[in-house]
Amino acid sequence: MTVLEAIQKSADFLAKKGVASSRLNAELLLAHLLQMPRMKLYLNFDRVLAVAEIDALRELIKRRGQREPVQHITGSTSFCGLEIIVNRHALVPRPETELLAELGWQYLSAQNPTPVTVLDFGTGTGCIAIAIAAKCPDARITALDLSSEALELARENALKNRVAQQIEFLQGDGFAVLAEWCGCPQGLEPSSPNGLPGISLPQFDLIVSNPPYIASSEISTLEPEVRDFDPSLALDGGVDGLGFYRRLAVGTRPFLKPAGKIMLEFGDGQAEAIKKILTDENWIVEAVREDYSHRARILVARR
């Protein structure tokens, strides 16, 4: 079987299993197996695959046919030109989130003086924190997540991309762990603009987050690649999907510098509701940015 024949047969199989972009998926998996760039496959269409290569490809295609994400099968994905290791403990980074990271580093790069400080709320794989660190060598980033397994993955990615010295990883439930980290009594979460009396809270130039934003009742309707392989902790945004935005609207204030900004990713159709949540808490919404498909996706606000 040649490379071209393997691609065609694999693509046909995946299409029958309901996998979108089946030809692309087949090419990505074969390129991964042969350890070559995908486009190089086109220069090797006539190459005859060894029996062991055919068997190995068959197993990869079988897994994809069972709707396991390509990124899980290959073990990594590209994010802002960086290789990010992925597994079931964190959300697979999406292309749209690259825009959030880009807005973050563009804003920070324009700040004077430096260094600048960043909070990545719900860091997951660490992709946003790592991309910002790579683009802003003077940035000091706190990456927060409830999941210890996700933080372990994020640390691994930071080491892999040589930015671990810029990032402090913190495990816990939201802003309460930040307050506890700097001396706030355990169990208290500051919610007033001035924080808690006698407690000096860390303040950041930028707070960035891609929080869970799927309504709980909608998770069962998601594509299998998301529903069955992304952790529910990274998907479930509560009854209406907006629970974390309400929490961020209140909880970020004590931790943001007076001239700082928050940047939030959100789901389709949520822009107006999130703008209202923020304006009701006296935030000034500066911009709502679109993603690659021209859908409102990222909100920028200041105090």
Side-chain angles (χ1 to χ4, degrees):
M1 184 185 298
T2 65
V3 164
L4 179 58
E5 290 170 338
I7 291 171
Q8 291 171 334
K9 290 183 178 181
S10 298
D12 289 344
F13 175 83
L14 293 177
K16 292 175 182 177
K17 293 294 183 178
V19 175
S21 304
S22 59
R23 168 82 181 223
L24 174 60
N25 278 251
E27 291 178 357
L28 288 170
L29 291 174
L30 182 54
H32 169 72
L33 175 65
L34 299 180
Q35 297 185 331
M36 66 172 61
R38 181 175 69 90
M39 298 309 295
K40 197 172 180 180
L41 293 175
Y42 290 80
L43 302 176
N44 290 271
F45 273 167
D46 294 330
R47 173 185 161 180
V48 177
L49 297 175
V51 173
E53 291 173 330
I54 295 172
D55 290 341
L57 178 62
R58 184 176 293 112
E59 288 304 310
L60 298 182
I61 296 298
K62 180 180 177 181
R63 289 170 64 183
R64 186 67 188 100
Q66 294 169 343
R67 306 302 289 273
E68 184 176 355
V70 169
Q71 298 91 336
H72 284 187
I73 297 171
T74 62
S76 68
T77 191
S78 176
F79 185 85
C80 295
L82 304 167
E83 185 179 4
I84 300 295
I85 302 166
V86 299
N87 60 31
R88 288 184 180 234
H89 296 304
L91 190 76
V92 172
R94 271 57 168 179
E96 294 82 4
T97 307
E98 293 181 329
L99 298 175
L100 178 59
E102 183 178 357
L103 282 175
W105 80 60
Q106 287 176 344
Y107 165 68
L108 295 170
S109 296
Q111 299 309 295
N112 189 28
T114 56
V116 289
T117 55
V118 183
L119 172 65
D120 180 13
F121 186 94
T123 195
T125 62
C127 60
I128 297 173
I130 290 165
I132 290 175
K135 294 291 185 178
C136 301
D138 290 329
R140 295 297 175 263
I141 303 166
T142 300
L144 173 68
D145 206 285
L146 177 60
S147 167
S148 58
E149 293 89 353
L151 280 181
E152 182 179 348
L153 177 63
R155 288 191 187 96
E156 184 179 359
N157 279 318
L159 286 168
K160 180 179 181 63
N161 288 284
R162 301 182 180 181
V163 294
Q165 72 281 0
Q166 292 175 247
I167 305 174
E168 180 157 9
F169 296 95
L170 198 58
Q171 192 265 326
D173 188 8
F175 296 103
V177 73
L178 271 179
E180 184 182 341
W181 179 44
C182 63
C184 173
Q186 187 173 8
L188 293 180
E189 183 166 338
S191 58
S192 69
N194 298 319
L196 294 170
I199 300 297
S200 178
L201 297 176
Q203 290 194 314
F204 302 92
D205 295 284
L206 173 66
I207 297 177
V208 63
S209 183
N210 178 22
Y213 54 68
I214 306 298
S216 302
S217 62
E218 295 177 6
I219 291 177
S220 62
T221 68
L222 298 174
E223 290 293 319
E225 289 87 344
V226 178
R227 181 192 66 220
D228 299 336
F229 292 92
D230 280 329
S232 60
L233 193 65
L235 299 172
D236 194 339
V239 174
D240 60 358
L242 302 175
F244 280 90
Y245 299 97
R246 296 186 182 93
R247 188 173 180 186
L248 288 162
V250 175
T252 52
R253 296 184 68 88
F255 296 98
L256 190 67
K257 292 181 181 180
K261 296 184 190 294
I262 59 171
M263 298 183 181
L264 309 174
E265 183 173 336
F266 54 84
D268 291 347
Q270 294 179 328
E272 292 305 315
I274 295 170
K275 284 173 65 176
K276 185 176 188 308
I277 288 171
L278 288 169
T279 55
D280 284 350
E281 293 295 336
N282 297 314
W283 288 91
I284 297 172
V285 176
E286 289 190 340
V288 175
R289 301 296 181 89
E290 295 181 342
D291 61 18
Y292 297 116
S293 60
H294 304 292
R295 296 176 180 175
R297 185 66 62 192
I298 298 165
L299 182 144
V300 181
R302 59 183 170 87
R303 289 168 62 174

Coordinates of all heavy atoms in Angstrom, one line a residue, residues 193-257:
P193 N -13.5 46.0 46.3 CA -12.4 46.6 45.5 C -11.1 46.8 46.3 O -10.0 46.8 45.8 CB -12.9 48.0 45.1 CG -14.4 47.8 45.1 CD -14.7 46.8 46.2
N194 N -11.2 46.9 47.7 CA -10.0 47.1 48.5 C -9.5 45.9 49.2 O -8.6 45.9 50.0 CB -10.4 48.1 49.6 CG -10.8 49.5 49.0 OD1 -10.2 49.9 48.1 ND2 -11.8 50.1 49.6
G195 N -10.1 44.7 48.8 CA -9.6 43.5 49.3 C -10.0 43.3 50.8 O -11.1 43.7 51.2
L196 N -9.1 42.8 51.6 CA -9.4 42.5 53.0 C -8.5 43.4 53.9 O -7.3 43.6 53.6 CB -9.2 41.1 53.4 CG -10.2 40.1 52.7 CD1 -9.8 38.7 52.9 CD2 -11.6 40.3 53.2
P197 N -9.0 43.9 55.0 CA -8.2 44.8 55.9 C -7.0 44.1 56.3 O -7.0 42.9 56.8 CB -9.2 45.1 57.0 CG -10.6 44.8 56.5 CD -10.4 43.8 55.5
G198 N -5.8 44.8 56.3 CA -4.6 44.3 56.7 C -3.9 43.2 55.8 O -2.9 42.7 56.1
I199 N -4.5 43.0 54.7 CA -4.0 42.0 53.8 C -3.5 42.7 52.5 O -4.3 43.4 51.9 CB -5.0 40.9 53.4 CG1 -5.5 40.2 54.7 CG2 -4.4 39.9 52.4 CD1 -4.4 39.4 55.4
S200 N -2.3 42.4 52.1 CA -1.8 43.0 50.9 C -1.9 42.0 49.8 O -1.2 41.0 49.7 CB -0.3 43.4 51.0 OG 0.2 43.9 49.8
L201 N -2.9 42.2 48.9 CA -3.2 41.3 47.8 C -2.3 41.5 46.6 O -2.0 42.7 46.3 CB -4.7 41.4 47.4 CG -5.7 41.1 48.5 CD1 -7.1 41.4 47.9 CD2 -5.6 39.7 48.9
P202 N -1.9 40.5 45.9 CA -1.1 40.7 44.7 C -2.0 41.3 43.6 O -3.2 41.0 43.5 CB -0.7 39.3 44.3 CG -1.8 38.4 44.9 CD -2.2 39.1 46.1
Q203 N -1.4 42.2 42.8 CA -2.2 42.9 41.8 C -1.5 42.7 40.5 O -0.3 42.7 40.4 CB -2.4 44.4 42.1 CG -3.4 44.6 43.2 CD -3.9 46.0 43.3 OE1 -3.1 46.9 43.2 NE2 -5.2 46.2 43.5
F204 N -2.3 42.5 39.4 CA -1.8 42.2 38.1 C -2.1 43.2 37.1 O -3.1 43.9 37.1 CB -2.4 40.8 37.7 CG -2.1 39.7 38.6 CD1 -3.0 39.4 39.6 CD2 -0.9 38.9 38.5 CE1 -2.7 38.4 40.5 CE2 -0.7 37.9 39.4 CZ -1.6 37.6 40.4
D205 N -1.2 43.3 36.1 CA -1.4 44.2 35.0 C -2.5 43.7 34.0 O -3.2 44.4 33.4 CB -0.1 44.4 34.2 CG 0.9 45.2 35.0 OD1 0.8 46.4 35.1 OD2 1.9 44.5 35.4
L206 N -2.5 42.3 34.0 CA -3.5 41.6 33.1 C -4.0 40.4 33.8 O -3.2 39.6 34.3 CB -2.8 41.3 31.8 CG -3.6 40.4 30.8 CD1 -4.8 41.2 30.3 CD2 -2.7 39.9 29.6
I207 N -5.3 40.2 33.7 CA -5.9 39.0 34.1 C -6.6 38.4 32.9 O -7.4 39.0 32.3 CB -7.0 39.1 35.3 CG1 -6.2 39.7 36.5 CG2 -7.7 37.8 35.6 CD1 -7.2 39.9 37.7
V208 N -6.2 37.2 32.5 CA -6.7 36.6 31.3 C -7.3 35.2 31.7 O -6.9 34.5 32.6 CB -5.6 36.4 30.3 CG1 -4.5 35.5 30.8 CG2 -6.0 35.9 28.9
S209 N -8.4 34.9 31.0 CA -9.1 33.6 31.3 C -9.9 33.1 30.1 O -10.6 33.9 29.4 CB -10.0 33.8 32.5 OG -10.6 32.6 32.8
N210 N -9.8 31.8 29.9 CA -10.7 31.1 29.0 C -11.5 30.1 29.9 O -11.2 28.9 30.0 CB -10.0 30.3 27.9 CG -10.9 29.5 27.0 OD1 -12.1 29.8 26.9 ND2 -10.3 28.5 26.4
P211 N -12.5 30.6 30.6 CA -13.2 29.7 31.6 C -14.2 28.8 31.0 O -14.5 28.9 29.8 CB -13.9 30.8 32.5 CG -14.3 31.8 31.5 CD -13.1 31.9 30.6
P212 N -14.6 27.8 31.8 CA -15.7 26.9 31.3 C -17.0 27.8 30.9 O -17.4 28.6 31.7 CB -16.0 26.0 32.4 CG -14.8 26.0 33.3 CD -14.2 27.4 33.1
Y213 N -17.6 27.6 29.8 CA -18.7 28.4 29.4 C -19.8 27.6 28.7 O -20.7 28.2 28.1 CB -18.3 29.6 28.5 CG -17.5 29.3 27.3 CD1 -18.1 28.6 26.2 CD2 -16.2 29.7 27.1 CE1 -17.4 28.3 25.0 CE2 -15.5 29.4 26.0 CZ -16.1 28.8 24.9 OH -15.4 28.5 23.8
I214 N -19.8 26.3 28.9 CA -20.9 25.5 28.3 C -22.0 25.3 29.4 O -21.7 25.0 30.5 CB -20.4 24.1 27.9 CG1 -19.3 24.3 26.9 CG2 -21.6 23.3 27.2 CD1 -19.6 25.0 25.6
A215 N -23.2 25.6 29.1 CA -24.3 25.3 30.0 C -24.3 23.8 30.4 O -24.2 23.0 29.5 CB -25.7 25.7 29.4
S216 N -24.6 23.5 31.6 CA -24.5 22.1 32.1 C -25.4 21.2 31.3 O -25.0 20.1 30.9 CB -24.9 22.1 33.6 OG -24.1 22.9 34.4
S217 N -26.6 21.7 30.9 CA -27.5 20.8 30.2 C -27.1 20.6 28.7 O -27.6 19.7 28.1 CB -28.9 21.4 30.2 OG -28.9 22.7 29.6
E218 N -26.2 21.4 28.2 CA -25.7 21.2 26.8 C -24.5 20.3 26.6 O -24.2 20.0 25.5 CB -25.4 22.6 26.3 CG -26.7 23.5 26.2 CD -26.3 24.9 25.7 OE1 -25.1 25.1 25.3 OE2 -27.2 25.8 25.7
I219 N -23.9 19.9 27.7 CA -22.6 19.1 27.6 C -22.9 17.8 26.9 O -22.1 17.4 26.1 CB -22.0 18.9 29.0 CG1 -21.5 20.3 29.5 CG2 -20.9 17.9 28.9 CD1 -20.9 20.2 30.9
S220 N -24.0 17.2 27.2 CA -24.3 15.9 26.6 C -24.6 16.0 25.1 O -24.5 15.0 24.4 CB -25.6 15.3 27.3 OG -26.7 16.1 27.0
T221 N -24.8 17.2 24.6 CA -25.1 17.4 23.1 C -23.8 17.7 22.3 O -23.9 17.8 21.1 CB -26.1 18.5 22.9 OG1 -25.5 19.8 23.3 CG2 -27.3 18.3 23.8
L222 N -22.7 17.9 23.0 CA -21.4 18.2 22.3 C -20.9 17.1 21.5 O -21.3 15.9 21.7 CB -20.4 18.7 23.4 CG -20.7 19.9 24.2 CD1 -19.6 20.1 25.3 CD2 -20.9 21.1 23.4
E223 N -20.0 17.4 20.5 CA -19.4 16.4 19.7 C -18.6 15.4 20.6 O -18.1 15.9 21.7 CB -18.4 17.1 18.7 CG -19.1 17.8 17.6 CD -19.8 16.9 16.7 OE1 -19.3 15.8 16.4 OE2 -21.0 17.3 16.3
P224 N -18.5 14.2 20.3 CA -17.8 13.2 21.1 C -16.4 13.6 21.5 O -15.9 13.3 22.6 CB -17.9 11.9 20.3 CG -19.1 12.1 19.4 CD -19.1 13.5 19.1
E225 N -15.7 14.2 20.5 CA -14.3 14.6 20.8 C -14.2 15.5 22.0 O -13.2 15.5 22.7 CB -13.7 15.3 19.6 CG -13.5 14.4 18.4 CD -14.6 14.2 17.5 OE1 -15.8 14.5 17.8 OE2 -14.4 13.7 16.3
V226 N -15.3 16.3 22.2 CA -15.3 17.3 23.3 C -15.9 16.6 24.5 O -15.4 16.6 25.6 CB -16.0 18.6 23.0 CG1 -16.1 19.5 24.2 CG2 -15.3 19.2 21.8
R227 N -17.1 16.1 24.4 CA -17.9 15.5 25.5 C -17.2 14.4 26.2 O -17.2 14.3 27.4 CB -19.2 15.0 24.9 CG -20.2 14.4 25.9 CD -21.3 13.7 25.2 NE -20.9 12.5 24.5 CZ -21.3 12.2 23.3 NH1 -22.2 12.9 22.6 NH2 -20.8 11.1 22.7
D228 N -16.5 13.5 25.4 CA -16.0 12.3 26.0 C -14.5 12.4 26.3 O -14.0 11.5 27.0 CB -16.2 11.1 25.0 CG -17.7 10.8 24.7 OD1 -18.5 11.2 25.6 OD2 -18.0 10.3 23.7
F229 N -13.8 13.5 25.9 CA -12.4 13.5 26.1 C -11.9 14.8 26.8 O -10.8 14.7 27.4 CB -11.7 13.3 24.7 CG -11.8 12.0 24.1 CD1 -12.9 11.7 23.2 CD2 -11.0 10.9 24.4 CE1 -13.1 10.5 22.7 CE2 -11.2 9.7 23.9 CZ -12.2 9.4 23.0
D230 N -12.6 15.9 26.6 CA -12.2 17.0 27.4 C -12.8 16.9 28.8 O -13.9 16.4 29.0 CB -12.7 18.3 26.8 CG -11.9 18.8 25.6 OD1 -10.6 18.6 25.7 OD2 -12.4 19.4 24.7
P231 N -12.1 17.3 29.9 CA -12.6 17.1 31.2 C -13.8 18.0 31.5 O -13.8 19.2 31.0 CB -11.4 17.6 32.1 CG -10.6 18.5 31.3 CD -10.7 17.9 29.9
S232 N -14.8 17.5 32.1 CA -16.1 18.3 32.4 C -15.8 19.5 33.2 O -16.4 20.5 33.0 CB -17.1 17.4 33.1 OG -16.6 16.9 34.3
L233 N -14.7 19.5 34.0 CA -14.4 20.6 34.8 C -14.0 21.8 34.0 O -14.2 23.0 34.4 CB -13.2 20.2 35.7 CG -12.8 21.2 36.9 CD1 -13.9 21.2 37.9 CD2 -11.5 20.7 37.5
A234 N -13.5 21.5 32.8 CA -13.1 22.6 31.8 C -14.2 23.0 30.9 O -14.0 24.0 30.1 CB -11.9 22.2 31.0
L235 N -15.3 22.4 31.0 CA -16.5 22.7 30.1 C -17.6 23.3 30.8 O -18.3 24.2 30.3 CB -16.9 21.4 29.4 CG -15.9 20.6 28.5 CD1 -16.5 19.3 28.1 CD2 -15.6 21.5 27.3
D236 N -17.9 22.8 32.0 CA -19.2 23.1 32.7 C -19.2 24.5 33.3 O -18.6 24.8 34.3 CB -19.5 22.1 33.7 CG -20.9 22.1 34.2 OD1 -21.6 23.1 34.1 OD2 -21.4 21.1 34.8
G237 N -20.0 25.4 32.7 CA -20.1 26.8 33.1 C -21.3 27.0 34.0 O -21.7 28.2 34.2
G238 N -22.0 26.0 34.5 CA -23.1 26.2 35.3 C -24.4 26.1 34.5 O -24.4 25.8 33.3
V239 N -25.5 26.5 35.1 CA -26.9 26.4 34.6 C -27.0 27.1 33.2 O -27.5 26.5 32.2 CB -27.9 26.9 35.5 CG1 -29.3 26.9 34.9 CG2 -27.9 26.1 36.8
D240 N -26.4 28.3 33.1 CA -26.5 29.1 31.9 C -25.2 29.3 31.2 O -25.1 30.0 30.2 CB -27.2 30.4 32.1 CG -26.4 31.3 33.1 OD1 -25.4 30.8 33.6 OD2 -26.9 32.4 33.3
G241 N -24.2 28.6 31.7 CA -22.8 28.8 31.1 C -22.1 30.0 31.5 O -20.9 30.2 31.1
L242 N -22.7 30.9 32.3 CA -22.1 32.2 32.7 C -21.6 32.3 34.1 O -21.2 33.4 34.6 CB -23.2 33.3 32.4 CG -23.7 33.3 31.0 CD1 -24.8 34.4 30.9 CD2 -22.6 33.7 30.0
G243 N -21.6 31.2 34.8 CA -21.3 31.2 36.2 C -19.9 31.8 36.5 O -19.7 32.6 37.4
F244 N -18.9 31.4 35.7 CA -17.5 31.9 35.9 C -17.4 33.3 35.6 O -16.6 34.0 36.2 CB -16.5 31.0 35.2 CG -16.2 29.7 35.8 CD1 -17.0 28.6 35.5 CD2 -15.2 29.6 36.7 CE1 -16.7 27.4 36.1 CE2 -14.9 28.4 37.3 CZ -15.7 27.3 37.0
Y245 N -18.2 33.9 34.7 CA -18.1 35.3 34.4 C -18.6 36.1 35.5 O -18.1 37.2 35.8 CB -18.8 35.6 33.0 CG -18.2 34.8 31.9 CD1 -18.8 33.6 31.5 CD2 -17.1 35.2 31.3 CE1 -18.2 32.8 30.5 CE2 -16.5 34.5 30.3 CZ -17.0 33.3 29.9 OH -16.5 32.5 28.9
R246 N -19.7 35.7 36.2 CA -20.2 36.4 37.3 C -19.1 36.4 38.4 O -18.9 37.4 39.1 CB -21.4 35.7 37.8 CG -22.6 35.8 36.9 CD -23.9 35.3 37.5 NE -25.0 35.3 36.5 CZ -25.3 34.3 35.7 NH1 -24.6 33.1 35.8 NH2 -26.3 34.4 34.8
R247 N -18.4 35.3 38.6 CA -17.4 35.2 39.6 C -16.2 36.1 39.3 O -15.7 36.7 40.1 CB -17.0 33.7 39.7 CG -16.0 33.4 40.9 CD -15.8 32.0 41.0 NE -14.9 31.6 42.1 CZ -14.5 30.4 42.3 NH1 -14.8 29.4 41.6 NH2 -13.7 30.2 43.4
L248 N -15.8 36.1 38.0 CA -14.7 36.9 37.6 C -15.0 38.4 37.7 O -14.2 39.2 38.0 CB -14.3 36.5 36.1 CG -13.6 35.2 35.9 CD1 -13.7 34.7 34.5 CD2 -12.2 35.3 36.4
A249 N -16.3 38.7 37.4 CA -16.6 40.2 37.4 C -16.5 40.7 38.8 O -16.1 41.9 39.0 CB -18.1 40.3 37.0
V250 N -16.7 39.9 39.8 CA -16.5 40.4 41.2 C -15.1 40.1 41.7 O -14.4 40.9 42.3 CB -17.6 39.7 42.1 CG1 -17.3 40.1 43.6 CG2 -19.0 40.1 41.7
G251 N -14.7 38.9 41.5 CA -13.4 38.4 42.1 C -12.1 39.0 41.6 O -11.1 39.1 42.3
T252 N -12.1 39.5 40.4 CA -10.9 40.0 39.8 C -10.5 41.4 40.3 O -9.4 41.8 40.3 CB -11.0 40.1 38.3 OG1 -12.2 40.9 37.9 CG2 -11.0 38.8 37.6
R253 N -11.5 42.2 40.8 CA -11.3 43.6 41.1 C -10.2 43.8 42.1 O -9.3 44.7 41.9 CB -12.6 44.2 41.6 CG -13.7 44.3 40.5 CD -14.9 45.0 41.0 NE -14.6 46.4 41.2 CZ -14.8 47.3 40.2 NH1 -15.2 46.9 39.0 NH2 -14.5 48.6 40.4
P254 N -10.1 43.1 43.2 CA -9.0 43.4 44.2 C -7.6 43.0 43.7 O -6.6 43.4 44.2 CB -9.4 42.5 45.4 CG -10.8 42.1 45.2 CD -11.1 42.1 43.7
F255 N -7.6 42.2 42.6 CA -6.3 41.7 42.1 C -5.8 42.4 40.9 O -4.8 42.0 40.3 CB -6.5 40.2 41.9 CG -6.8 39.4 43.1 CD1 -8.1 39.0 43.4 CD2 -5.7 39.0 44.0 CE1 -8.3 38.2 44.5 CE2 -6.0 38.3 45.1 CZ -7.3 37.9 45.4
L256 N -6.6 43.4 40.4 CA -6.2 44.0 39.2 C -5.7 45.4 39.5 O -6.3 46.2 40.2 CB -7.4 44.1 38.2 CG -7.1 44.6 36.8 CD1 -6.3 43.6 36.0 CD2 -8.4 44.9 36.0
K257 N -4.5 45.8 38.9 CA -4.0 47.1 39.1 C -5.0 48.2 38.5 O -5.8 47.8 37.6 CB -2.7 47.3 38.4 CG -1.6 46.4 39.0 CD -0.2 46.6 38.3 CE 0.9 45.8 39.0 NZ 2.2 45.9 38.3

